[in-house]
Structure formats: C-alpha cells, structure tokens
Amino acid sequence: MGSSPNSKPKIVRGTAGYVLEDVPHMADYIPDLPTYTNPLQINPAYSVVKQYFVHVDDSVPQKIIANKDSPRGVHFRRAGPRQKVYFDSDDVQAAIVTCGGLCPGLNTVIRELVCALYHMYGVKKILGINGGYKGFYAHNTIALTPKIVNDIHKRGGTILGSSRGGHDTTKIVDSIQDRGINQVYIIGGDGTQRGADRIFEEIRRRHLKVAVVGIPKTIDNDIPVIDKSFGFDTAVEEAQRAINAAHVEAESGENGIGVVKLMGRYSGFIAMYATLASRDVDCCLIPESPFHLEGPGGLFEFVERRLKENGHMVIVIAEGAGQELVSESMQSLQKQDASGNKLLQDVGLWISQKIKEHFSRLKIMHINLKYIDPTYMIRAVPSNASDNVYCTLLAQSAVHGAMAGYTGFTSGLVNGRQTYIPFYRIIEGQNKVVITDRMWARLLSSTNQPSFTVSKIAAEEKREEEPTGEQQ
C-alpha cells in the first residue's frame, strides 16, 4: 500500500546503514505546542523504577539476525513513557473504538487503556464509541471508568460492540472535533488501521491537536511487521479443544477421519500453530500451500495411505485454503463483505464431502468422517494469561505514545520489544506463512504429510519424461 498520499514517510538515517522509520509527532504540523511534566514522575508506582523514561534515541531493529557485514537496517521508535508530555491530563478527552470481527482480548485492551489513562496520567474523561466507526457519527457513546471496566477482561467479545465498514472520514473527524476529543484509540485489523490512517491524515490537514493511535487486532495473525497479534495465542489454545475432539472421534471409529476447519482467510498461522501444538494432526492445509485432490501425490492418495497405516487421521484446514478448487465458489470469489474481505465458501464442508464421495465411488474402504467447525467459538472466548499480559503492554504503550505527542502510529511488538510503527507499514500488505521457511518444514516433519505442491510438480515431470510409445 505504501504511505498515505498526503504525507511522506518520516525517515531518519544514521551511520552504518541505520534507518529509523519514525512516526509522526503533533509538533511536526502544530508549532509552539506547550509541554508538561509527565505525571509518572510523581507517581508512587514508578518512583522506585530507575531510568523508567525511554531515551529519545531508543529504537528497535525490525530484523534481529545479522552478520558482521550487515547494515544496521530498519528500526522503529521504542515505545514507553517520555519525561515530557504534550497534554495536560485535565484537558484530555479520550475515545476508544473497536472495529471488525471479534478477537480474544478486546475487552482486556479496552480495560487497560482506561486504567492506564486514569491511573497513570490522571485522565478522567474517557469515552467508548459504540458499534465501530459508525458510532462516531451515530453519537453512540458510553463513559468509561476503571470501575465500569473492572472485570470486563473475563468476558469475550467487546463491551463497545463492533461492526464492519461504515467508515466516513469526514463525518468521523467532524464528530471528533465537535466533541472535543483529542486522543483516539482505534482497535482493529488492517482495514481498520487503513481507516485510522485516513482519519489521522484528515486531522493533520485540519491542524487539530488530536493523537490517533492504532492497536492491531487480527485473530489470523496476518498484520505485517509485528511479532504476533493479541488473541492469537488464545485462538491456538482454544483450537486444541476442537482438534482433540476430532481425534477422539476419528480414533473411535473404523477408518475414522476428523476434519477441523480453523480461521485463516489469507494466512494459515492458526492452523499451522494449532497443528504443531496438537501433535494429533496428520495433515494441515493452509492458503499459502496449494494442494490437489486427485492423482499421484494428491490428498486422496495420502488419506488412503494414512488410514491403512494408522486406521484413523485428523485433517486441519484453514478457511481460506483450497478456495480455487471449490468450483461452486467461482462466482462468489468477487463478492466482498463490508470490510472488503472476499466472501469464502465453506471449504471444510466441501472437502469433507469430496473425501466421502471419493471413497464411496471407488469403494476402497468404508470411512467414518466427522466435521468440526469451531470458528466463532475460538474468537468469542476471553483471552488467556499470556494474551492478557500482551494486551496490557499494547494498551499502556499506546497511551504513553499519545501523551508524548506521537500520532499516526500503531502500537506493536517487534522482536519482543514494544514499538511505535507508522500506519503505512502496518497497512502495506499481509503477513503470510512462508512455506519455504523453517516453521513450515517443522510442521511437515511433525505431521509427516507430503508437500502437495512438490508432489504435483514431481508427478507432472514424471509424466512428461515417460515415452509416448511413438517410434522415432
């Protein structure tokens, strides 16, 4: 995608190939902004912490692996509190909004944003925008306090409600301006962050003192640059329950097959990590790795072989895998939902039916196939312990950045460190499983499944080499 048409990336270059992809600051377009002493300097919780404030030059490398001749490479600004802030706490009117699909940890992020603003910086005026972006101009808001959000992290979903689409930049910024909002925290996926970038650009064009901060949310873990998205660990953990059930069903029947469909529209991270964690999966199918059904090296051949070897098997398939094989979906490939995502056919049902038809038609063996679709169960649960910690770090880092005057950025984890990433890097593409990487090789070794792409190429090359029977 690249950067917004109204702005240029803020790049700082140093020695030895050092590049800092910096985030915008309100001082870049509003001159003579007053600064204030950070309230954390007198906060008793932080009085015992030495060197608590982040140095102005601290940055985090995007790639941590290098050799002696490598340039220092791309860095991002390190997240954390600064000694000076650009907002008087009494003047802050913050707004929090959640957009897109559900994800474990949404309520935790909301809670920690409220608590960080309230307890760290003394901000008392915090609004929750109801129903996603539409809530800005539908005037649906609720006042948020630590008491109101005290135990929401124990619930799945989002107390603010969410929706797809409904983004009207002008109306949203008009609403922000009319209500006197000067900090906006936007929790959502790549489409939501793209909308946040447009909101930031319009705010900058109007020279408003408003910090726009994104917190990346995607259960599929497909947002680039960051190590992982919050809720992903919970989703993988919850997927184990479905895989375990499929394994019990498969093991308990004659030639039992358990098929589990997991989320993963464009990226197969949940399917891959759930498979690696389970150890009960015989075959994992993801969007990044094409597969075929018929012929040598195809899925049917592998299923037959594994059933003969073990008497049962478990197949995990990501929702976006094999869509090109679903002939009934050809017309729907061009259809999109309100967020611009293509509408997918249920590949889990489709592949289950295809496997049944194959064994029924050839009468090779009788099979017992059970199909499990835990999609919405996985994303509707509360976040687990590790995700709760991660959500806390993301939220606190976002608040520190906004109070320090930074804007137009996403709070994210890079190489294990909290950073501020410019919007244009977050919306430039999608993170996908690299099937030439070691992690996919580890999965293939764990499941002992074939690489269907390699198998198909090898089969085609073998057919080409076979003599046609014609005399030279």
Side-chain angles (χ1 to χ4, degrees):
M1 281 279 175
S3 62
S4 238
N6 299 328
S7 65
K8 293 182 179 179
K10 191 176 177 183
I11 305 294
V12 178
R13 300 186 185 277
T15 58
Y18 173 91
V19 177
L20 172 64
E21 294 202 17
D22 206 355
V23 297
H25 194 280
M26 290 188 298
D28 296 341
Y29 59 92
I30 304 177
D32 304 320
L33 277 175
T35 59
Y36 308 88
T37 300
N38 194 322
L40 289 177
Q41 293 193 22
I42 56 172
N43 187 316
Y46 297 94
S47 61
V48 296
V49 181
K50 292 183 179 180
Q51 297 179 335
Y52 182 70
F53 295 103
V54 173
H55 191 276
V56 66
D57 289 332
D58 281 3
S59 61
V60 178
Q62 181 177 7
K63 293 183 178 179
I64 202 167
I65 298 173
N67 57 53
K68 62 180 181 179
D69 299 320
S70 297
R72 292 180 65 190
V74 172
H75 288 62
F76 299 108
R77 187 169 288 281
R78 184 184 174 195
R82 269 59 177 174
Q83 288 185 322
K84 296 291 183 181
V85 296
Y86 282 75
F87 289 95
D88 184 327
S89 299
D90 292 336
D91 297 333
V92 173
Q93 171 93 310
I96 303 169
V97 64
T98 54
C99 304
L102 297 183
C103 181
L106 281 169
N107 278 333
T108 308
V109 174
I110 295 168
R111 181 189 189 279
E112 297 311 318
L113 284 171
V114 173
C115 290
L117 284 163
Y118 197 98
H119 295 307
M120 288 182 172
Y121 289 98
V123 174
K124 301 297 190 292
K125 292 174 285 188
I126 309 168
L127 287 176
I129 306 296
N130 244 326
Y133 277 135
K134 297 174 184 176
F136 275 103
Y137 45 88
H139 299 285
N140 298 331
T141 62
I142 58 173
L144 297 175
T145 65
K147 185 176 181 179
I148 289 172
V149 302
N150 182 55
D151 61 353
I152 64 172
H153 61 291
K154 298 174 184 177
R155 291 180 253 160
T158 164
I159 63 162
L160 298 180
S162 187
S163 66
R164 295 188 183 277
H167 186 278
D168 186 317
T169 304
T170 303
K171 283 186 178 181
I172 290 171
V173 177
D174 286 346
S175 175
I176 290 170
Q177 198 168 359
D178 292 344
R179 298 183 193 192
I181 294 169
N182 50 21
Q183 290 185 10
V184 185
Y185 298 93
I186 301 172
I187 310 165
D190 55 350
T192 301
Q193 302 300 311
R194 198 171 290 113
D197 185 42
R198 292 199 291 270
I199 292 170
F200 158 67
E201 289 295 348
E202 178 62 17
I203 283 171
R204 175 154 67 176
R205 189 186 68 79
R206 299 188 192 186
H207 296 278
L208 303 178
K209 186 185 176 183
V210 180
V212 180
V213 181
I215 296 178
K217 177 230 60 164
T218 167
I219 200 169
D220 292 345
N221 201 37
D222 60 357
I223 289 179
V225 182
I226 61 174
D227 292 354
K228 65 176 179 179
S229 53
F230 74 83
F232 177 70
D233 283 352
T234 304
V236 170
E237 186 176 300
E238 191 68 14
Q240 300 302 294
R241 296 174 62 187
I243 293 172
N244 289 342
H247 184 249
V248 169
E249 288 285 353
E251 204 173 30
S252 301
E254 181 187 1
N255 295 323
I257 301 174
V259 177
V260 180
K261 186 186 76 173
L262 297 176
M263 298 191 82
R265 182 178 293 273
Y266 304 109
S267 305
F269 286 104
I270 292 179
M272 179 173 73
Y273 277 84
T275 295
L276 281 166
S278 168
R279 306 292 174 179
D280 286 331
V281 179
D282 298 274
C283 184
C284 177
L285 304 171
I286 60 174
E288 297 89 339
S289 182
F291 65 93
H292 60 291
L293 301 178
E294 309 276 357
L299 179 65
F300 292 154
E301 181 184 78
F302 175 66
V303 170
E304 184 180 338
R305 184 170 72 247
R306 186 55 57 93
L307 289 177
K308 288 178 179 176
E309 292 171 351
N310 295 343
H312 67 275
M313 75 176 299
V314 174
I315 300 171
V316 167
I317 184 165
E319 62 181 327
Q323 287 294 317
E324 69 283 355
L325 298 178
V326 189
S327 58
E328 293 83 2
S329 71
M330 293 309 292
Q331 292 180 347
S332 68
L333 286 176
Q334 305 306 317
K335 296 180 181 178
Q336 298 179 334
D337 64 17
S339 294
N341 299 314
K342 68 179 182 180
L343 293 173
L344 303 179
Q345 294 293 310
D346 190 334
V347 72
L349 277 175
W350 175 83
I351 204 165
S352 298
Q353 189 60 37
K354 285 293 181 182
I355 292 172
K356 289 178 182 177
E357 289 174 358
H358 172 78
F359 283 94
S360 174
R361 183 177 71 252
L362 298 185
K363 295 182 173 54
I364 303 169
M365 60 179 75
H366 173 73
I367 64 167
N368 285 292
L369 188 145
K370 300 293 189 295
Y371 172 52
I372 297 175
D373 180 359
T375 302
Y376 295 106
M377 292 173 59
I378 285 174
R379 74 178 197 174
V381 298
S383 51
N384 65 11
S386 65
D387 271 326
N388 274 336
V389 173
Y390 186 24
C391 290
T392 302
L393 298 178
L394 287 170
Q396 291 186 0
S397 296
V399 171
H400 290 320
M403 292 298 295
Y406 294 111
T407 182
F409 72 88
T410 292
S411 172
L413 195 70
V414 177
N415 289 322
R417 295 285 184 177
Q418 293 294 324
T419 63
Y420 299 143
I421 306 163
F423 278 142
Y424 69 85
R425 286 302 309 273
I426 291 293
I427 63 178
E428 66 184 358
Q430 285 180 313
N431 188 30
K432 293 179 181 290
V433 174
V434 180
I435 60 172
T436 55
D437 198 14
R438 288 192 181 99
M439 191 57 76
W440 185 244
R442 292 177 183 123
L443 179 139
L444 295 178
S445 299
S446 172
T447 61
N448 199 28
Q449 72 185 67
S451 174
F452 294 105
T453 305
V454 174
S455 300
K456 187 174 183 180
I457 293 172
E460 289 173 351
E461 289 177 348
K462 185 177 180 180
R463 281 199 301 270
E464 289 174 2
E465 292 172 2
E466 289 176 354
T468 60
E470 295 178 2
Q471 296 296 323
Q472 300 295 325

